Amino acid sequence: MASKKLLIIGFVWPEPKSSAAGSRMMQLIEAFKAGSYEITFASACVQTKQAFDLDSIGVSPIRITLNDSSFDLFVKTLNPDVVLFDRFMTEEQYGWRVAEQCPKALRILDTEDLHALRKGRQQALKDNHEFDRAYLFNNTAKREIASIYRSDLSLIISEIEMNLLKTEFKIDPDLLCYLPFMLETIKGAWINALPKFNERQDFISIGNFLHDPNYDAILFLKESIWPLIRKELPQAEMHVYGAYLSQKVKQLHNEKERFLIKGFTNDANHVMQRARVCLAPLRFGAGLKGKLIDAMQNGTPSVMTSIAAEGMFGKLKANGFIEDNSSMFAAKAIQLYTDEILWNEKQQFGFETINKRFSNVKYRQKVLQDVNKAIREIDIRRQHNFIGQLLQYQTLQSTKFMSKWIEEKNKN
């Protein structure tokens, strides 16, 4: 039996050492490889030096062009069984082309996180207002929900977002597939080899600085939380790691205050294992937070806001404390940093969370089953999804005709 072909259209090239989104994409690639798919990864984005070498794992990388009919010939020749769009913006650009050239291909959207939720929370914070439905039902939501309807299946990383889509936006559950991070089980040998409480020191925060929630969190940490921690723990240092270091982030570096901007690290595990406590004071965002996964995998308890913790622990206990008030956040960070018994207890909760909630064996099998079922039932699924058909109708295809206009303009 011939292998099925999967085309992934990436918003960017995967950078697993730079972002949670990059790690997520590599997990998806590994899941489909486990299902014996022949994978092509295409992107119009420029590759950076942090981009993963896809050739090394048997994935074919292809550079494509935005707003250009050369993609039509490429996708028709490839003739994939499944096309996966990396975020709704990619589906807007290429979804209609795939639908025209390969109408039988299953179209999957990986939302990464709900952009509308993140944008709405960001605006509410800016306005100093409580987040509510008025902020959720924003212009980004209109585009993102339309993209979900145009797709045959959407991968949703958080249970919270699954519930939001079903209750607030009334999305048919058959169009959604809950798929969190897919991680290796943490075994005893790994745990035993990790540095112990007394072998660690200082605080850590980590995250891609191109991501607005991360910059805001570091600013909030420096101005409202770190002074309170430093007052009680004057010898401790705050180490901040992240890719794409900008000048405005560099300006937060202050050796006198022991607030140290370290920038990109090639080995997140190493720096996380050296730290005693991870701090994640995110004030807006969506999806699951890769920094908390890194912390749990490396036995580093965390203090986090409720937005940072969202969707992570389910009914299990957190690997630290969840606090939104800056003074309480600082107090819990100090307590966790100085209490070895408490620290060890919280560390174990992290291992338990990884093993019980993010099993790569369980969720690889689930996504392959859901995709194969959707392929078999593709005609019936599309008949039931009338709104999706409606949104493919020519009078509602503004992105299609804008793309065609740009292509003609570029020719001239």
Side-chain angles (χ1 to χ4, degrees):
M1 182 176 168
S3 297
K4 290 191 182 77
K5 291 182 187 175
L6 167 67
L7 169 63
I8 301 173
I9 306 179
F11 182 66
V12 294
W13 296 93
E15 297 182 15
K17 291 183 177 181
S18 299
S19 69
S23 297
R24 161 75 160 184
M25 181 53 70
M26 295 308 301
Q27 290 163 21
L28 286 171
I29 288 171
E30 289 301 325
F32 281 100
K33 277 173 62 67
S36 299
Y37 276 77
E38 184 183 315
I39 305 173
T40 300
F41 191 101
S43 180
C45 188
V46 175
Q47 274 192 332
T48 68
K49 62 182 179 181
Q50 280 93 22
F52 187 86
D53 180 7
L54 294 170
D55 276 315
S56 69
I57 56 170
V59 174
S60 302
I62 301 290
R63 181 77 187 275
I64 53 177
T65 307
L66 275 173
N67 305 310
D68 196 294
S69 55
S70 60
F71 177 84
D72 300 350
L73 179 61
F74 158 69
V75 76
K76 189 171 185 176
T77 304
L78 183 66
N79 193 26
D81 301 280
V82 180
V83 178
L84 188 150
F85 302 100
D86 171 24
R87 290 166 260 204
F88 79 88
M89 302 85 82
T90 305
E91 189 279 333
E92 284 181 335
Q93 288 285 347
Y94 296 100
W96 63 272
R97 293 185 184 273
V98 171
E100 286 185 357
Q101 303 300 324
C102 304
K104 293 183 179 179
L106 186 79
R107 299 189 299 274
I108 301 175
L109 171 66
D110 181 36
T111 58
E112 290 287 359
D113 60 32
L114 280 186
H115 294 66
L117 178 60
R118 174 158 41 85
K119 292 281 187 183
R121 283 173 168 166
Q122 184 174 9
Q123 190 61 50
L125 178 67
K126 186 178 178 182
D127 295 343
N128 197 27
H129 283 173
E130 284 289 317
F131 175 77
D132 57 21
R133 294 180 86 201
Y135 283 105
L136 179 61
F137 294 167
N138 52 50
N139 287 335
T140 299
K142 293 164 190 169
R143 294 171 59 195
E144 194 163 25
I145 298 303
S147 183
I148 288 172
Y149 272 116
R150 285 192 300 265
S151 303
D152 298 307
L153 191 67
S154 290
L155 309 180
I156 312 300
I157 201 169
S158 164
E159 291 161 327
I160 304 297
E161 294 177 7
M162 281 286 287
N163 186 57
L164 200 65
L165 289 168
K166 289 187 280 190
T167 58
E168 295 293 336
F169 293 104
K170 313 301 182 189
I171 304 285
D172 184 342
D174 284 345
L175 293 175
L176 308 174
C177 170
Y178 170 58
L179 189 68
F181 288 127
M182 295 173 279
L183 308 171
E184 295 283 346
T185 298
I186 298 176
K187 295 186 170 66
W190 170 264
I191 294 171
N192 292 335
L194 290 172
K196 305 299 184 280
F197 177 86
N198 288 325
E199 297 172 303
R200 298 169 179 245
Q201 62 183 10
D202 303 322
F203 294 87
I204 188 172
S205 188
I206 191 166
N208 184 333
F209 293 119
L210 287 180
H211 195 50
D212 288 341
N214 289 334
Y215 173 71
D216 176 80
I218 296 307
L219 198 60
F220 178 51
L221 177 62
K222 185 176 194 293
E223 293 177 349
S224 302
I225 297 171
W226 183 246
L228 302 175
I229 295 174
R230 188 167 169 264
K231 185 178 177 181
E232 298 298 321
L233 301 171
Q235 297 307 309
E237 294 180 349
M238 182 69 234
H239 295 176
V240 180
Y241 290 91
Y244 299 103
L245 193 61
S246 64
Q247 190 57 41
K248 68 177 181 178
V249 179
K250 287 179 184 176
Q251 288 174 354
L252 301 178
H253 182 89
N254 190 314
E255 293 192 10
K256 185 179 177 182
E257 295 173 2
R258 296 178 178 266
F259 194 92
L260 310 178
I261 304 296
K262 298 283 191 173
F264 177 74
T265 174
N266 201 44
D267 191 344
N269 291 335
H270 176 69
V271 296
M272 192 62 80
Q273 287 173 22
R274 292 172 60 193
R276 190 176 290 177
V277 175
C278 174
L279 302 181
L282 292 155
R283 298 194 293 176
F284 64 93
L288 295 179
K289 310 306 178 292
K291 54 180 65 61
L292 295 182
I293 294 291
D294 289 339
M296 288 188 282
Q297 287 176 321
N298 291 290
T300 311
S302 302
V303 185
M304 68 212 89
T305 55
S306 54
I307 282 178
E310 185 177 82
M312 189 66 73
F313 302 104
K315 294 179 180 179
L316 300 178
K317 294 179 180 177
N319 73 316
F321 294 103
I322 302 170
E323 293 289 349
D324 291 322
N325 175 273
S326 56
S327 59
M328 287 301 298
F329 191 104
K332 292 299 185 183
I334 293 162
Q335 184 183 3
L336 197 51
Y337 193 87
T338 55
D339 188 332
E340 184 174 358
I341 293 173
L342 178 68
W343 188 91
N344 285 320
E345 178 186 54
K346 298 297 187 182
Q347 183 189 63
Q348 290 303 314
F349 293 155
F351 298 143
E352 185 179 4
T353 297
I354 295 289
N355 290 345
K356 289 187 176 180
R357 285 183 55 79
F358 304 110
S359 163
N360 63 354
V361 175
K362 174 184 175 181
Y363 285 109
R364 277 181 188 175
Q365 186 177 27
K366 179 184 184 297
V367 71
L368 291 172
Q369 286 175 346
D370 286 358
V371 168
N372 289 334
K373 183 172 184 284
I375 290 172
R376 292 194 304 270
E377 300 173 354
I378 190 167
D379 292 332
I380 253 175
R381 291 174 68 86
R382 288 178 178 174
Q383 287 168 19
H384 288 169
N385 180 18
F386 181 74
I387 293 177
Q389 294 180 52
L390 182 70
L391 292 170
Q392 292 284 7
Y393 192 61
Q394 59 185 9
T395 57
L396 292 173
Q397 285 285 285
S398 59
T399 51
K400 170 181 176 178
F401 294 108
M402 175 60 78
S403 178
K404 284 180 170 288
W405 180 82
I406 292 171
E407 184 176 358
E408 289 303 314
K409 181 172 175 286
N410 288 342
K411 287 178 184 175
N412 296 326

